[in-house]
Amino acid sequence: MISGFEDITTATVLLIIVGGFAAGWIDAVVGGGGLIQLPVMLMVPGVTPVQALATNKMGSIFGTATSSVTYYRRVKPDLRTALPMAGIALLGSVGGAVVAASLPGSVFKPIIVVALVAVLLFTAFNPGMGGLTALRHSGRRHYILAGCIGAVIGFYDGMIGPGTGSFLVIALVSLLGYAFLEASAKAKIVNLATNAGALMFFLPHGSLLWGVGLVLGAANMAGGYLGARTAVRQGNKFIRIVFLSVVAVLIVKLGMDVWNENGVGAWMAAVLER
């Protein structure tokens, strides 16, 4: 068993703790904590990308479990929708992780950037959206749509990952008609399942850094607890503002990935030098 602490300095441990806490807070409010936590893991000396991904999921599962319980106690989300959706998302996450092993995420990133821009504009120009729960569907149609959302976003989380919580929130708000607060509560339960699904894939490969993962998990748990309490206390308007901010950062981050991976930046530099 590898702890991951063999060559880590005190400063790096502190960075892991701060990064895990911040990621847990953001994840608990609207999702997107991986924007902070995964880059922090990639900065740990000697850590491979697979180890970073696996340990990131291990840390996240502590935070999502804590925020899920906190939301359940304070918001009382409807588990008849959340639990089946979570089960389907778990299976989707395992499938996405399997595909990720053979197909690079860069194939899908340009499409995801376009989708995020559409989400940002749609949310920004619909200020009343997510203020109150007004379900768009009832009965079987509601549960089938919830299951489809869980399958698609679970698959995405297993394959690529960044912004899973944000995608869940906007899908629950725009497609099913939940308010932001209740959508965040359900999203955490589903996100807990997708993290578990990804871990089910990573565990047999021996990629986890257990010591680092436990420290990261403790910090993420503290951030998740505080973030969930903050979201419940501040309400839908606050969650909407944080959501728009996180989606904007996601667009910039994934857009830069697409820019670099496709050589656009190098091509532009060569053109300007001529």
Side-chain angles (χ1 to χ4, degrees), residues 129-152:
M129 186 182 70
L132 296 171
T133 292
L135 297 182
R136 303 183 187 281
H137 311 285
S138 60
R140 182 179 298 179
R141 188 170 182 179
H142 171 87
Y143 295 112
I144 289 175
L145 184 54
C148 290
I149 292 168
V152 172

Side-chain angles (χ1 to χ4, degrees), residues 32-263:
L35 288 170
I36 297 173
Q37 194 163 272
L38 185 56
V40 165
M41 283 306 306
L42 290 169
M43 292 169 64
V44 176
V47 170
T48 66
V50 174
Q51 288 175 327
L53 283 167
T55 308
N56 171 59
K57 288 297 180 187
M58 181 180 176
S60 295
I61 204 166
F62 282 87
T64 49
T66 302
S67 55
S68 293
V69 172
T70 304
Y71 271 122
Y72 178 72
R73 288 177 174 174
R74 294 173 175 270
V75 180
K76 297 292 190 296
D78 178 16
L79 296 182
R80 292 175 299 176
T81 298
L83 291 182
M85 189 177 175
I88 295 170
L90 186 150
L91 297 176
S93 179
V94 175
V98 172
V99 171
S102 58
L103 194 63
S106 58
V107 174
F108 301 94
K109 283 182 181 176
I111 299 171
I112 293 165
V113 171
V114 173
L116 282 170
V117 171
V119 165
L120 181 70
L121 294 175
F122 180 73
T123 307
F125 287 104
N126 288 276
M129 186 182 70
L132 296 171
T133 292
L135 297 182
R136 303 183 187 281
H137 311 285
S138 60
R140 182 179 298 179
R141 188 170 182 179
H142 171 87
Y143 295 112
I144 289 175
L145 184 54
C148 290
I149 292 168
V152 172
I153 299 181
F155 184 85
Y156 167 78
D157 191 31
M159 184 177 59
I160 302 174
T164 296
S166 299
F167 277 123
L168 282 168
V169 169
I170 194 59
L172 287 164
V173 170
S174 61
L175 299 180
L176 294 183
Y178 286 106
F180 272 108
L181 181 59
E182 192 166 356
S184 292
K186 285 181 170 61
K188 286 306 99 193
I189 296 171
V190 177
N191 208 178
L192 173 62
T194 62
N195 284 333
L199 276 178
M200 286 169 61
F201 176 80
F202 284 123
L203 275 171
H205 289 72
S207 302
L208 286 174
L209 303 176
W210 290 92
V212 173
L214 289 172
V215 171
L216 189 68
N220 200 283
M221 184 185 298
Y225 176 73
L226 182 61
R229 288 178 64 91
T230 303
V232 171
R233 185 171 63 251
Q234 298 295 333
N236 292 310
K237 185 176 180 180
F238 170 79
I239 296 173
R240 183 177 185 275
I241 292 170
V242 176
F243 174 81
L244 288 170
S245 302
V246 170
V247 170
V249 173
L250 265 171
I251 291 169
V252 173
K253 195 272 179 190
L254 292 177
M256 290 178 65
D257 287 348
V258 172
W259 181 281
N260 294 326
E261 288 167 1
N262 292 319

